[in-house]
């Protein structure tokens, strides 16, 4: 619930709040995530009700909390996420389509920062961390590339936004097909593996 002066003035928000509170009571679990935008008093919301204050919490943290709540709901209800490869992101954005065949993970090379092994993305092992796709060094050292969940903000130094996903890579990714004279480079993200945005 986005608690604000506008929220308090609308009839449908009151109906929405009552329905959500009834469901939370019936299911006897945390269900509502109030986000306070200003200090307007909202009927039915006690001063002791926990909430997030948008004025005091960084937007990235708000997004992360919402995503975690949705993830938990999906997990509780059997909704699963799928691995999204870098090649999938490229194809959705039509990157390289005018160069012949689609670009695949077999056309992308990067280095593991831990062991220094150069490898194709297709050689790395793939897994899911909640709803992020993780490419791990083929030697098992560490993650080398992360394809973010849809909608994640790519802050400076953490990755590159391509459509609904962000790609976060610990070392440069060199993209080259047989039809390309020079490789395309996705520069390394210095904060590629950071979970939380550093405070400024």
């Amino acid at each position: 619930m986005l608690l604000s002066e506008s929220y308090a003035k609308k009839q449908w928000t009151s109906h929405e709040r009552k329905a959500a509170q009834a469901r939370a009571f019936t299911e006897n679990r945390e269900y509502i995530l109030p986000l306070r935008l200003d200090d307007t008093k909202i009927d039915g919301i006690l001063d002791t009700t926990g909430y997030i204050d948008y004025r005091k919490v960084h937007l990235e943290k708000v997004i992360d909390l919402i995503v975690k709540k949705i993830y938990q709901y999906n997990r509780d209800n059997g909704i699963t996420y799928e691995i999204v490869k870098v090649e999938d992101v490229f194809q959705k954005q039509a990157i390289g389509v005018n160069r012949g065949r689609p670009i695949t993970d077999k056309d992308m090379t990067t280095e593991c920062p831990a062991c220094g092994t150069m490898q194709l993305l297709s050689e790395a092992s793939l897994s899911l961390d909640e709803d992020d796709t993780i490419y791990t060094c083929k030697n098992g050292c560490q993650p080398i590339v992360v394809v973010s969940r849809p909608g994640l903000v790519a802050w400076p130094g953490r990755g590159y936004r391509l459509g609904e996903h962000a790609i976060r890579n610990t070392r440069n990714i060199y993209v080259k097909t047989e039809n390309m004279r020079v490789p395309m480079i996705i520069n390394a993200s210095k904060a590629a593996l950071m979970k939380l945005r550093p405070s400024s």
Side-chain angles (χ1 to χ4, degrees):
M1 291 186 293
L2 302 176
L3 306 180
S4 66
E5 182 180 358
S6 296
Y7 184 96
K9 290 178 179 176
K10 305 229 185 276
Q11 280 190 338
W12 69 267
T13 56
S14 177
H15 174 71
E16 172 196 57
R17 176 183 43 75
K18 288 175 185 173
Q21 287 172 322
R23 180 170 179 177
F25 182 76
T26 302
E27 295 181 6
N28 194 27
R29 67 182 177 97
E30 183 183 306
Y31 178 74
I32 302 166
L33 180 64
L35 178 64
R36 187 167 285 287
L37 304 180
D38 59 33
D39 292 321
T40 303
K41 298 284 185 193
I42 307 293
D43 287 342
I45 301 290
L46 303 174
D47 290 338
T48 56
T49 300
Y51 62 87
I52 302 164
D53 192 327
Y54 180 73
R55 299 161 296 180
K56 297 177 182 173
V57 177
H58 194 281
L59 177 60
E60 185 77 20
K61 179 68 174 170
V62 172
I63 292 169
D64 194 50
L65 288 167
I66 292 169
V67 168
K68 283 181 178 174
K69 197 154 192 70
I70 292 168
Y71 177 78
Q72 185 63 49
Y73 174 86
N74 288 346
R75 191 167 60 183
D76 292 347
N77 290 280
I79 300 168
T80 58
Y81 297 94
E82 295 180 358
I83 285 176
V84 177
K85 297 179 180 179
V86 176
E87 66 184 31
D88 299 330
V89 176
F90 270 47
Q91 288 172 25
K92 284 181 185 176
Q93 295 305 302
I95 297 172
V97 293
N98 61 346
R99 299 184 186 272
R101 65 172 177 76
I103 294 172
T104 70
D105 284 358
K106 291 180 181 178
D107 302 311
M108 303 184 209
T109 307
T110 193
E111 178 187 18
C112 173
C115 70
T117 302
M118 292 298 291
Q119 58 201 282
L120 299 172
L121 290 191
S122 59
E123 296 176 302
S125 62
L126 290 170
S127 62
L128 281 175
D129 177 12
E130 296 187 350
D131 49 354
D132 288 342
T133 298
I134 310 296
Y135 285 76
T136 300
C137 171
K138 67 179 182 178
N139 298 323
C141 302
Q142 71 166 71
I144 54 176
V145 177
V146 177
V147 179
S148 76
R149 61 183 175 245
L152 188 71
V153 175
W155 69 68
R158 191 176 186 228
Y160 304 94
R161 192 99 178 118
L162 290 173
E164 60 184 9
H165 297 279
I167 295 177
R168 297 158 30 206
N169 44 303
T170 57
R171 292 290 189 267
N172 290 348
I173 297 175
Y174 300 92
V175 182
K176 188 164 188 325
T177 68
E178 60 279 357
N179 299 321
M180 298 167 71
R181 288 189 307 161
V182 294
M184 176 179 11
I185 299 174
I186 304 173
N187 291 319
S189 314
K190 63 183 182 215
L193 302 181
M194 290 180 70
K195 289 277 191 182
L196 297 176
R197 184 175 192 146
S199 54
S200 36

